[in-house]
mmCIF file with all atom_site columns, all heavy atoms in Angstrom:
data_model
loop_
_atom_site.group_PDB
_atom_site.id
_atom_site.type_symbol
_atom_site.label_atom_id
_atom_site.label_alt_id
_atom_site.label_comp_id
_atom_site.label_asym_id
_atom_site.label_entity_id
_atom_site.label_seq_id
_atom_site.pdbx_PDB_ins_code
_atom_site.Cartn_x
_atom_site.Cartn_y
_atom_site.Cartn_z
_atom_site.occupancy
_atom_site.B_iso_or_equiv
_atom_site.pdbx_formal_charge
_atom_site.auth_seq_id
_atom_site.auth_comp_id
_atom_site.auth_asym_id
_atom_site.auth_atom_id
_atom_site.pdbx_PDB_model_num
ATOM   1   N N   . LYS A 1 35  ? 133.459 -26.655 9.734   1.00 87.00 ? 35  LYS A N   1
ATOM   2   C CA  . LYS A 1 35  ? 132.153 -26.476 9.230   1.00 87.00 ? 35  LYS A CA  1
ATOM   3   C C   . LYS A 1 35  ? 131.034 -26.009 10.276  1.00 87.00 ? 35  LYS A C   1
ATOM   4   O O   . LYS A 1 35  ? 130.392 -25.051 10.087  1.00 87.00 ? 35  LYS A O   1
ATOM   5   C CB  . LYS A 1 35  ? 131.590 -27.696 8.476   1.00 87.00 ? 35  LYS A CB  1
ATOM   6   C CG  . LYS A 1 35  ? 130.623 -27.377 7.373   1.00 87.00 ? 35  LYS A CG  1
ATOM   7   C CD  . LYS A 1 35  ? 130.591 -28.510 6.434   1.00 87.00 ? 35  LYS A CD  1
ATOM   8   C CE  . LYS A 1 35  ? 129.724 -28.134 5.273   1.00 87.00 ? 35  LYS A CE  1
ATOM   9   N NZ  . LYS A 1 35  ? 130.148 -27.021 4.454   1.00 87.00 ? 35  LYS A NZ  1
ATOM   10  N N   . PRO A 1 96  ? 140.859 -18.566 -5.779  1.00 66.00 ? 96  PRO A N   1
ATOM   11  C CA  . PRO A 1 96  ? 139.638 -17.697 -5.792  1.00 66.00 ? 96  PRO A CA  1
ATOM   12  C C   . PRO A 1 96  ? 138.331 -18.508 -5.823  1.00 66.00 ? 96  PRO A C   1
ATOM   13  O O   . PRO A 1 96  ? 137.351 -18.209 -5.231  1.00 66.00 ? 96  PRO A O   1
ATOM   14  C CB  . PRO A 1 96  ? 139.855 -16.820 -6.991  1.00 66.00 ? 96  PRO A CB  1
ATOM   15  C CG  . PRO A 1 96  ? 141.326 -16.895 -7.217  1.00 66.00 ? 96  PRO A CG  1
ATOM   16  C CD  . PRO A 1 96  ? 141.881 -18.186 -6.763  1.00 66.00 ? 96  PRO A CD  1
ATOM   17  N N   . ASP A 1 97  ? 138.436 -19.551 -6.698  1.00 67.00 ? 97  ASP A N   1
ATOM   18  C CA  . ASP A 1 97  ? 137.105 -20.219 -6.947  1.00 67.00 ? 97  ASP A CA  1
ATOM   19  C C   . ASP A 1 97  ? 136.903 -21.524 -6.159  1.00 67.00 ? 97  ASP A C   1
ATOM   20  O O   . ASP A 1 97  ? 135.899 -22.127 -6.261  1.00 67.00 ? 97  ASP A O   1
ATOM   21  C CB  . ASP A 1 97  ? 136.984 -20.549 -8.484  1.00 67.00 ? 97  ASP A CB  1
ATOM   22  C CG  . ASP A 1 97  ? 138.131 -21.394 -8.919  1.00 67.00 ? 97  ASP A CG  1
ATOM   23  O OD1 . ASP A 1 97  ? 139.243 -21.312 -8.245  1.00 67.00 ? 97  ASP A OD1 1
ATOM   24  O OD2 . ASP A 1 97  ? 138.079 -22.102 -9.906  1.00 67.00 ? 97  ASP A OD2 1
ATOM   25  N N   . ASP A 1 157 ? 124.168 -30.543 5.594   1.00 96.00 ? 157 ASP A N   1
ATOM   26  C CA  . ASP A 1 157 ? 125.117 -29.901 4.739   1.00 96.00 ? 157 ASP A CA  1
ATOM   27  C C   . ASP A 1 157 ? 126.342 -30.749 4.904   1.00 96.00 ? 157 ASP A C   1
ATOM   28  O O   . ASP A 1 157 ? 127.223 -30.542 5.757   1.00 96.00 ? 157 ASP A O   1
ATOM   29  C CB  . ASP A 1 157 ? 125.343 -28.443 5.265   1.00 96.00 ? 157 ASP A CB  1
ATOM   30  C CG  . ASP A 1 157 ? 126.215 -27.622 4.337   1.00 96.00 ? 157 ASP A CG  1
ATOM   31  O OD1 . ASP A 1 157 ? 126.383 -28.009 3.220   1.00 96.00 ? 157 ASP A OD1 1
ATOM   32  O OD2 . ASP A 1 157 ? 126.583 -26.567 4.850   1.00 96.00 ? 157 ASP A OD2 1
ATOM   33  N N   . ASN A 1 178 ? 127.660 -29.728 -1.746  1.00 96.00 ? 178 ASN A N   1
ATOM   34  C CA  . ASN A 1 178 ? 128.344 -28.978 -2.848  1.00 96.00 ? 178 ASN A CA  1
ATOM   35  C C   . ASN A 1 178 ? 128.723 -29.917 -3.921  1.00 96.00 ? 178 ASN A C   1
ATOM   36  O O   . ASN A 1 178 ? 128.352 -31.125 -3.914  1.00 96.00 ? 178 ASN A O   1
ATOM   37  C CB  . ASN A 1 178 ? 129.526 -28.215 -2.247  1.00 96.00 ? 178 ASN A CB  1
ATOM   38  C CG  . ASN A 1 178 ? 130.761 -29.077 -1.850  1.00 96.00 ? 178 ASN A CG  1
ATOM   39  O OD1 . ASN A 1 178 ? 130.770 -30.277 -2.114  1.00 96.00 ? 178 ASN A OD1 1
ATOM   40  N ND2 . ASN A 1 178 ? 131.764 -28.487 -1.235  1.00 96.00 ? 178 ASN A ND2 1
ATOM   41  N N   . GLU A 1 181 ? 130.790 -33.041 -2.775  1.00 96.00 ? 181 GLU A N   1
ATOM   42  C CA  . GLU A 1 181 ? 129.989 -33.879 -1.847  1.00 96.00 ? 181 GLU A CA  1
ATOM   43  C C   . GLU A 1 181 ? 128.839 -34.646 -2.674  1.00 96.00 ? 181 GLU A C   1
ATOM   44  O O   . GLU A 1 181 ? 128.603 -35.788 -2.419  1.00 96.00 ? 181 GLU A O   1
ATOM   45  C CB  . GLU A 1 181 ? 129.359 -33.069 -0.736  1.00 96.00 ? 181 GLU A CB  1
ATOM   46  C CG  . GLU A 1 181 ? 130.371 -32.564 0.223   1.00 96.00 ? 181 GLU A CG  1
ATOM   47  C CD  . GLU A 1 181 ? 129.987 -31.144 0.803   1.00 96.00 ? 181 GLU A CD  1
ATOM   48  O OE1 . GLU A 1 181 ? 128.847 -30.765 0.781   1.00 96.00 ? 181 GLU A OE1 1
ATOM   49  O OE2 . GLU A 1 181 ? 130.959 -30.514 1.347   1.00 96.00 ? 181 GLU A OE2 1
ATOM   50  N N   . LEU A 1 214 ? 121.630 -28.327 -4.519  1.00 98.00 ? 214 LEU A N   1
ATOM   51  C CA  . LEU A 1 214 ? 123.001 -28.515 -4.795  1.00 98.00 ? 214 LEU A CA  1
ATOM   52  C C   . LEU A 1 214 ? 123.595 -27.083 -4.807  1.00 98.00 ? 214 LEU A C   1
ATOM   53  O O   . LEU A 1 214 ? 123.199 -26.165 -5.404  1.00 98.00 ? 214 LEU A O   1
ATOM   54  C CB  . LEU A 1 214 ? 123.225 -29.086 -6.171  1.00 98.00 ? 214 LEU A CB  1
ATOM   55  C CG  . LEU A 1 214 ? 122.437 -30.466 -6.434  1.00 98.00 ? 214 LEU A CG  1
ATOM   56  C CD1 . LEU A 1 214 ? 122.737 -30.933 -7.875  1.00 98.00 ? 214 LEU A CD1 1
ATOM   57  C CD2 . LEU A 1 214 ? 122.760 -31.455 -5.382  1.00 98.00 ? 214 LEU A CD2 1
ATOM   58  N N   . LYS A 1 215 ? 124.739 -26.960 -4.037  1.00 98.00 ? 215 LYS A N   1
ATOM   59  C CA  . LYS A 1 215 ? 125.569 -25.697 -4.052  1.00 98.00 ? 215 LYS A CA  1
ATOM   60  C C   . LYS A 1 215 ? 126.637 -25.930 -5.174  1.00 98.00 ? 215 LYS A C   1
ATOM   61  O O   . LYS A 1 215 ? 127.444 -26.880 -5.056  1.00 98.00 ? 215 LYS A O   1
ATOM   62  C CB  . LYS A 1 215 ? 126.257 -25.557 -2.748  1.00 98.00 ? 215 LYS A CB  1
ATOM   63  C CG  . LYS A 1 215 ? 125.254 -25.129 -1.585  1.00 98.00 ? 215 LYS A CG  1
ATOM   64  C CD  . LYS A 1 215 ? 125.941 -24.958 -0.317  1.00 98.00 ? 215 LYS A CD  1
ATOM   65  C CE  . LYS A 1 215 ? 126.614 -26.235 0.151   1.00 98.00 ? 215 LYS A CE  1
ATOM   66  N NZ  . LYS A 1 215 ? 127.301 -26.121 1.520   1.00 98.00 ? 215 LYS A NZ  1
ATOM   67  N N   . LEU A 1 216 ? 126.583 -25.065 -6.161  1.00 97.00 ? 216 LEU A N   1
ATOM   68  C CA  . LEU A 1 216 ? 127.446 -25.287 -7.333  1.00 97.00 ? 216 LEU A CA  1
ATOM   69  C C   . LEU A 1 216 ? 128.455 -24.170 -7.532  1.00 97.00 ? 216 LEU A C   1
ATOM   70  O O   . LEU A 1 216 ? 128.689 -23.686 -8.634  1.00 97.00 ? 216 LEU A O   1
ATOM   71  C CB  . LEU A 1 216 ? 126.576 -25.475 -8.543  1.00 97.00 ? 216 LEU A CB  1
ATOM   72  C CG  . LEU A 1 216 ? 125.589 -26.725 -8.477  1.00 97.00 ? 216 LEU A CG  1
ATOM   73  C CD1 . LEU A 1 216 ? 124.625 -26.730 -9.634  1.00 97.00 ? 216 LEU A CD1 1
ATOM   74  C CD2 . LEU A 1 216 ? 126.475 -28.015 -8.306  1.00 97.00 ? 216 LEU A CD2 1
ATOM   75  N N   . GLY A 1 217 ? 129.011 -23.662 -6.426  1.00 95.00 ? 217 GLY A N   1
ATOM   76  C CA  . GLY A 1 217 ? 130.076 -22.589 -6.500  1.00 95.00 ? 217 GLY A CA  1
ATOM   77  C C   . GLY A 1 217 ? 129.666 -21.464 -7.395  1.00 95.00 ? 217 GLY A C   1
ATOM   78  O O   . GLY A 1 217 ? 128.583 -20.925 -7.252  1.00 95.00 ? 217 GLY A O   1
ATOM   79  N N   . ALA A 1 218 ? 130.580 -21.197 -8.339  1.00 95.00 ? 218 ALA A N   1
ATOM   80  C CA  . ALA A 1 218 ? 130.452 -19.998 -9.234  1.00 95.00 ? 218 ALA A CA  1
ATOM   81  C C   . ALA A 1 218 ? 129.245 -20.223 -10.138 1.00 95.00 ? 218 ALA A C   1
ATOM   82  O O   . ALA A 1 218 ? 128.776 -19.300 -10.793 1.00 95.00 ? 218 ALA A O   1
ATOM   83  C CB  . ALA A 1 218 ? 131.669 -19.805 -9.980  1.00 95.00 ? 218 ALA A CB  1
ATOM   84  N N   . GLY A 1 220 ? 126.235 -21.214 -8.958  1.00 98.00 ? 220 GLY A N   1
ATOM   85  C CA  . GLY A 1 220 ? 125.033 -20.858 -8.202  1.00 98.00 ? 220 GLY A CA  1
ATOM   86  C C   . GLY A 1 220 ? 124.521 -22.073 -7.485  1.00 98.00 ? 220 GLY A C   1
ATOM   87  O O   . GLY A 1 220 ? 125.224 -22.805 -6.899  1.00 98.00 ? 220 GLY A O   1
ATOM   88  N N   . ALA A 1 221 ? 123.218 -22.332 -7.655  1.00 98.00 ? 221 ALA A N   1
ATOM   89  C CA  . ALA A 1 221 ? 122.570 -23.480 -6.827  1.00 98.00 ? 221 ALA A CA  1
ATOM   90  C C   . ALA A 1 221 ? 121.408 -24.117 -7.733  1.00 98.00 ? 221 ALA A C   1
ATOM   91  O O   . ALA A 1 221 ? 120.907 -23.492 -8.625  1.00 98.00 ? 221 ALA A O   1
ATOM   92  C CB  . ALA A 1 221 ? 121.949 -22.918 -5.583  1.00 98.00 ? 221 ALA A CB  1
ATOM   93  N N   . ALA A 1 234 ? 124.461 -17.998 -9.960  1.00 97.00 ? 234 ALA A N   1
ATOM   94  C CA  . ALA A 1 234 ? 125.203 -17.259 -9.047  1.00 97.00 ? 234 ALA A CA  1
ATOM   95  C C   . ALA A 1 234 ? 125.241 -15.782 -9.404  1.00 97.00 ? 234 ALA A C   1
ATOM   96  O O   . ALA A 1 234 ? 125.020 -15.378 -10.482 1.00 97.00 ? 234 ALA A O   1
ATOM   97  C CB  . ALA A 1 234 ? 126.624 -17.761 -8.954  1.00 97.00 ? 234 ALA A CB  1
ATOM   98  N N   . PHE A 1 235 ? 125.304 -14.923 -8.370  1.00 97.00 ? 235 PHE A N   1
ATOM   99  C CA  . PHE A 1 235 ? 125.508 -13.479 -8.604  1.00 97.00 ? 235 PHE A CA  1
ATOM   100 C C   . PHE A 1 235 ? 126.976 -13.269 -9.117  1.00 97.00 ? 235 PHE A C   1
ATOM   101 O O   . PHE A 1 235 ? 127.905 -13.933 -8.707  1.00 97.00 ? 235 PHE A O   1
ATOM   102 C CB  . PHE A 1 235 ? 125.307 -12.691 -7.316  1.00 97.00 ? 235 PHE A CB  1
ATOM   103 C CG  . PHE A 1 235 ? 123.884 -12.676 -6.902  1.00 97.00 ? 235 PHE A CG  1
ATOM   104 C CD1 . PHE A 1 235 ? 123.473 -13.597 -5.964  1.00 97.00 ? 235 PHE A CD1 1
ATOM   105 C CD2 . PHE A 1 235 ? 122.974 -11.849 -7.428  1.00 97.00 ? 235 PHE A CD2 1
ATOM   106 C CE1 . PHE A 1 235 ? 122.133 -13.612 -5.552  1.00 97.00 ? 235 PHE A CE1 1
ATOM   107 C CE2 . PHE A 1 235 ? 121.601 -11.801 -7.017  1.00 97.00 ? 235 PHE A CE2 1
ATOM   108 C CZ  . PHE A 1 235 ? 121.178 -12.769 -6.100  1.00 97.00 ? 235 PHE A CZ  1
ATOM   109 N N   . ILE A 1 237 ? 130.185 -11.843 -9.180  1.00 96.00 ? 237 ILE A N   1
ATOM   110 C CA  . ILE A 1 237 ? 131.112 -11.171 -8.258  1.00 96.00 ? 237 ILE A CA  1
ATOM   111 C C   . ILE A 1 237 ? 132.581 -11.541 -8.699  1.00 96.00 ? 237 ILE A C   1
ATOM   112 O O   . ILE A 1 237 ? 132.741 -12.505 -9.409  1.00 96.00 ? 237 ILE A O   1
ATOM   113 C CB  . ILE A 1 237 ? 130.892 -11.586 -6.830  1.00 96.00 ? 237 ILE A CB  1
ATOM   114 C CG1 . ILE A 1 237 ? 130.802 -13.133 -6.644  1.00 96.00 ? 237 ILE A CG1 1
ATOM   115 C CG2 . ILE A 1 237 ? 129.681 -10.979 -6.267  1.00 96.00 ? 237 ILE A CG2 1
ATOM   116 C CD1 . ILE A 1 237 ? 132.007 -13.728 -5.948  1.00 96.00 ? 237 ILE A CD1 1
ATOM   117 N N   . ALA A 1 239 ? 135.487 -13.349 -7.392  1.00 92.00 ? 239 ALA A N   1
ATOM   118 C CA  . ALA A 1 239 ? 135.720 -14.259 -6.336  1.00 92.00 ? 239 ALA A CA  1
ATOM   119 C C   . ALA A 1 239 ? 137.216 -14.167 -5.825  1.00 92.00 ? 239 ALA A C   1
ATOM   120 O O   . ALA A 1 239 ? 138.099 -14.145 -6.762  1.00 92.00 ? 239 ALA A O   1
ATOM   121 C CB  . ALA A 1 239 ? 135.458 -15.706 -6.754  1.00 92.00 ? 239 ALA A CB  1
ATOM   122 N N   . SER A 1 242 ? 136.673 -18.602 -1.611  1.00 88.00 ? 242 SER A N   1
ATOM   123 C CA  . SER A 1 242 ? 135.348 -19.213 -1.433  1.00 88.00 ? 242 SER A CA  1
ATOM   124 C C   . SER A 1 242 ? 135.165 -19.859 0.003   1.00 88.00 ? 242 SER A C   1
ATOM   125 O O   . SER A 1 242 ? 134.167 -20.375 0.284   1.00 88.00 ? 242 SER A O   1
ATOM   126 C CB  . SER A 1 242 ? 134.949 -20.196 -2.412  1.00 88.00 ? 242 SER A CB  1
ATOM   127 O OG  . SER A 1 242 ? 135.646 -21.421 -2.319  1.00 88.00 ? 242 SER A OG  1
ATOM   128 N N   . GLY A 1 244 ? 134.032 -20.691 3.380   1.00 91.00 ? 244 GLY A N   1
ATOM   129 C CA  . GLY A 1 244 ? 132.900 -20.173 4.154   1.00 91.00 ? 244 GLY A CA  1
ATOM   130 C C   . GLY A 1 244 ? 131.632 -19.770 3.281   1.00 91.00 ? 244 GLY A C   1
ATOM   131 O O   . GLY A 1 244 ? 130.595 -19.413 3.823   1.00 91.00 ? 244 GLY A O   1
ATOM   132 N N   . ALA A 1 245 ? 131.836 -19.891 2.015   1.00 95.00 ? 245 ALA A N   1
ATOM   133 C CA  . ALA A 1 245 ? 130.690 -19.469 1.146   1.00 95.00 ? 245 ALA A CA  1
ATOM   134 C C   . ALA A 1 245 ? 129.583 -20.421 1.309   1.00 95.00 ? 245 ALA A C   1
ATOM   135 O O   . ALA A 1 245 ? 128.392 -19.991 1.440   1.00 95.00 ? 245 ALA A O   1
ATOM   136 C CB  . ALA A 1 245 ? 131.127 -19.432 -0.340  1.00 95.00 ? 245 ALA A CB  1
ATOM   137 N N   . GLY A 1 246 ? 129.862 -21.663 1.332   1.00 96.00 ? 246 GLY A N   1
ATOM   138 C CA  . GLY A 1 246 ? 128.782 -22.655 1.576   1.00 96.00 ? 246 GLY A CA  1
ATOM   139 C C   . GLY A 1 246 ? 128.151 -22.643 2.880   1.00 96.00 ? 246 GLY A C   1
ATOM   140 O O   . GLY A 1 246 ? 126.914 -22.808 3.040   1.00 96.00 ? 246 GLY A O   1
ATOM   141 N N   . ASP A 1 247 ? 128.911 -22.189 3.953   1.00 96.00 ? 247 ASP A N   1
ATOM   142 C CA  . ASP A 1 247 ? 128.393 -22.048 5.178   1.00 96.00 ? 247 ASP A CA  1
ATOM   143 C C   . ASP A 1 247 ? 127.477 -20.774 5.294   1.00 96.00 ? 247 ASP A C   1
ATOM   144 O O   . ASP A 1 247 ? 126.418 -20.894 5.958   1.00 96.00 ? 247 ASP A O   1
ATOM   145 C CB  . ASP A 1 247 ? 129.494 -22.020 6.289   1.00 96.00 ? 247 ASP A CB  1
ATOM   146 C CG  . ASP A 1 247 ? 130.317 -23.339 6.189   1.00 96.00 ? 247 ASP A CG  1
ATOM   147 O OD1 . ASP A 1 247 ? 129.688 -24.354 5.973   1.00 96.00 ? 247 ASP A OD1 1
ATOM   148 O OD2 . ASP A 1 247 ? 131.527 -23.287 6.396   1.00 96.00 ? 247 ASP A OD2 1
ATOM   149 N N   . PHE A 1 249 ? 125.900 -19.575 2.859   1.00 98.00 ? 249 PHE A N   1
ATOM   150 C CA  . PHE A 1 249 ? 124.723 -19.948 1.937   1.00 98.00 ? 249 PHE A CA  1
ATOM   151 C C   . PHE A 1 249 ? 123.731 -20.668 2.935   1.00 98.00 ? 249 PHE A C   1
ATOM   152 O O   . PHE A 1 249 ? 122.532 -20.323 2.975   1.00 98.00 ? 249 PHE A O   1
ATOM   153 C CB  . PHE A 1 249 ? 125.254 -20.855 0.866   1.00 98.00 ? 249 PHE A CB  1
ATOM   154 C CG  . PHE A 1 249 ? 124.138 -21.329 -0.117  1.00 98.00 ? 249 PHE A CG  1
ATOM   155 C CD1 . PHE A 1 249 ? 123.985 -20.770 -1.277  1.00 98.00 ? 249 PHE A CD1 1
ATOM   156 C CD2 . PHE A 1 249 ? 123.446 -22.502 0.298   1.00 98.00 ? 249 PHE A CD2 1
ATOM   157 C CE1 . PHE A 1 249 ? 122.976 -21.290 -2.144  1.00 98.00 ? 249 PHE A CE1 1
ATOM   158 C CE2 . PHE A 1 249 ? 122.508 -22.961 -0.572  1.00 98.00 ? 249 PHE A CE2 1
ATOM   159 C CZ  . PHE A 1 249 ? 122.199 -22.364 -1.804  1.00 98.00 ? 249 PHE A CZ  1
ATOM   160 N N   . ALA A 1 270 ? 120.373 -16.899 -0.245  1.00 98.00 ? 270 ALA A N   1
ATOM   161 C CA  . ALA A 1 270 ? 121.539 -17.709 0.152   1.00 98.00 ? 270 ALA A CA  1
ATOM   162 C C   . ALA A 1 270 ? 122.623 -17.552 -0.850  1.00 98.00 ? 270 ALA A C   1
ATOM   163 O O   . ALA A 1 270 ? 123.743 -17.512 -0.510  1.00 98.00 ? 270 ALA A O   1
ATOM   164 C CB  . ALA A 1 270 ? 121.045 -19.227 0.310   1.00 98.00 ? 270 ALA A CB  1
ATOM   165 N N   . ASN A 1 271 ? 122.216 -17.571 -2.190  1.00 98.00 ? 271 ASN A N   1
ATOM   166 C CA  . ASN A 1 271 ? 123.215 -17.331 -3.169  1.00 98.00 ? 271 ASN A CA  1
ATOM   167 C C   . ASN A 1 271 ? 123.937 -16.027 -3.015  1.00 98.00 ? 271 ASN A C   1
ATOM   168 O O   . ASN A 1 271 ? 125.153 -15.854 -3.265  1.00 98.00 ? 271 ASN A O   1
ATOM   169 C CB  . ASN A 1 271 ? 122.451 -17.253 -4.555  1.00 98.00 ? 271 ASN A CB  1
ATOM   170 C CG  . ASN A 1 271 ? 122.687 -18.501 -5.435  1.00 98.00 ? 271 ASN A CG  1
ATOM   171 O OD1 . ASN A 1 271 ? 123.524 -19.309 -5.168  1.00 98.00 ? 271 ASN A OD1 1
ATOM   172 N ND2 . ASN A 1 271 ? 121.792 -18.544 -6.477  1.00 98.00 ? 271 ASN A ND2 1
ATOM   173 N N   . GLY A 1 274 ? 126.430 -16.361 -0.119  1.00 98.00 ? 274 GLY A N   1
ATOM   174 C CA  . GLY A 1 274 ? 127.618 -17.142 -0.599  1.00 98.00 ? 274 GLY A CA  1
ATOM   175 C C   . GLY A 1 274 ? 128.472 -16.336 -1.457  1.00 98.00 ? 274 GLY A C   1
ATOM   176 O O   . GLY A 1 274 ? 129.711 -16.297 -1.378  1.00 98.00 ? 274 GLY A O   1
ATOM   177 N N   . ALA A 1 275 ? 127.873 -15.487 -2.358  1.00 98.00 ? 275 ALA A N   1
ATOM   178 C CA  . ALA A 1 275 ? 128.629 -14.656 -3.239  1.00 98.00 ? 275 ALA A CA  1
ATOM   179 C C   . ALA A 1 275 ? 129.430 -13.584 -2.525  1.00 98.00 ? 275 ALA A C   1
ATOM   180 O O   . ALA A 1 275 ? 130.685 -13.406 -2.831  1.00 98.00 ? 275 ALA A O   1
ATOM   181 C CB  . ALA A 1 275 ? 127.666 -14.057 -4.337  1.00 98.00 ? 275 ALA A CB  1
ATOM   182 N N   . ALA A 1 278 ? 132.336 -15.220 -0.887  1.00 95.00 ? 278 ALA A N   1
ATOM   183 C CA  . ALA A 1 278 ? 133.412 -15.607 -1.868  1.00 95.00 ? 278 ALA A CA  1
ATOM   184 C C   . ALA A 1 278 ? 134.067 -14.361 -2.334  1.00 95.00 ? 278 ALA A C   1
ATOM   185 O O   . ALA A 1 278 ? 135.196 -14.550 -2.877  1.00 95.00 ? 278 ALA A O   1
ATOM   186 C CB  . ALA A 1 278 ? 132.691 -16.402 -3.033  1.00 95.00 ? 278 ALA A CB  1
HETATM 187 P P1  . LIG B 2 .   ? 131.066 -24.884 -0.371  1.00 73.01 ? 401 LIG B P1  1
HETATM 188 O O1  . LIG B 2 .   ? 131.613 -23.598 0.184   1.00 73.01 ? 401 LIG B O1  1
HETATM 189 O O2  . LIG B 2 .   ? 130.196 -25.663 0.517   1.00 73.01 ? 401 LIG B O2  1
HETATM 190 O O3  . LIG B 2 .   ? 132.003 -25.677 -1.149  1.00 73.01 ? 401 LIG B O3  1
HETATM 191 P P2  . LIG B 2 .   ? 130.179 -23.677 -2.852  1.00 73.01 ? 401 LIG B P2  1
HETATM 192 O O4  . LIG B 2 .   ? 131.615 -23.403 -3.244  1.00 73.01 ? 401 LIG B O4  1
HETATM 193 O O5  . LIG B 2 .   ? 129.372 -24.348 -3.872  1.00 73.01 ? 401 LIG B O5  1
HETATM 194 O O6  . LIG B 2 .   ? 130.030 -24.406 -1.430  1.00 73.01 ? 401 LIG B O6  1
HETATM 195 O O7  . LIG B 2 .   ? 129.598 -22.168 -2.537  1.00 73.01 ? 401 LIG B O7  1
HETATM 196 C C1  . LIG B 2 .   ? 128.339 -22.036 -1.914  1.00 73.01 ? 401 LIG B C1  1
HETATM 197 C C2  . LIG B 2 .   ? 127.544 -20.998 -2.605  1.00 73.01 ? 401 LIG B C2  1
HETATM 198 O O8  . LIG B 2 .   ? 128.215 -19.716 -2.502  1.00 73.01 ? 401 LIG B O8  1
HETATM 199 C C3  . LIG B 2 .   ? 127.232 -21.221 -4.055  1.00 73.01 ? 401 LIG B C3  1
HETATM 200 O O9  . LIG B 2 .   ? 126.153 -22.027 -4.210  1.00 73.01 ? 401 LIG B O9  1
HETATM 201 C C4  . LIG B 2 .   ? 127.002 -19.760 -4.517  1.00 73.01 ? 401 LIG B C4  1
HETATM 202 O O10 . LIG B 2 .   ? 125.700 -19.327 -4.181  1.00 73.01 ? 401 LIG B O10 1
HETATM 203 C C5  . LIG B 2 .   ? 128.033 -18.992 -3.692  1.00 73.01 ? 401 LIG B C5  1
HETATM 204 N N1  . LIG B 2 .   ? 129.364 -18.837 -4.409  1.00 73.01 ? 401 LIG B N1  1
HETATM 205 C C6  . LIG B 2 .   ? 130.462 -19.650 -4.206  1.00 73.01 ? 401 LIG B C6  1
HETATM 206 N N2  . LIG B 2 .   ? 131.355 -19.285 -5.075  1.00 73.01 ? 401 LIG B N2  1
HETATM 207 C C7  . LIG B 2 .   ? 130.928 -18.197 -5.812  1.00 73.01 ? 401 LIG B C7  1
HETATM 208 C C8  . LIG B 2 .   ? 131.345 -17.492 -6.928  1.00 73.01 ? 401 LIG B C8  1
HETATM 209 N N3  . LIG B 2 .   ? 132.592 -17.561 -7.395  1.00 73.01 ? 401 LIG B N3  1
HETATM 210 N N4  . LIG B 2 .   ? 130.619 -16.511 -7.526  1.00 73.01 ? 401 LIG B N4  1
HETATM 211 C C9  . LIG B 2 .   ? 129.316 -16.393 -7.011  1.00 73.01 ? 401 LIG B C9  1
HETATM 212 N N5  . LIG B 2 .   ? 128.788 -17.101 -5.938  1.00 73.01 ? 401 LIG B N5  1
HETATM 213 C C10 . LIG B 2 .   ? 129.615 -18.017 -5.483  1.00 73.01 ? 401 LIG B C10 1
#
Side-chain angles (χ1 to χ4, degrees):
K35 207 159 181 69
D97 57 334
D157 188 13
N178 70 9
E181 292 149 17
L214 308 182
K215 292 181 294 183
L216 301 173
F235 288 96
I237 48 111
S242 73
D247 301 322
F249 179 101
N271 255 346

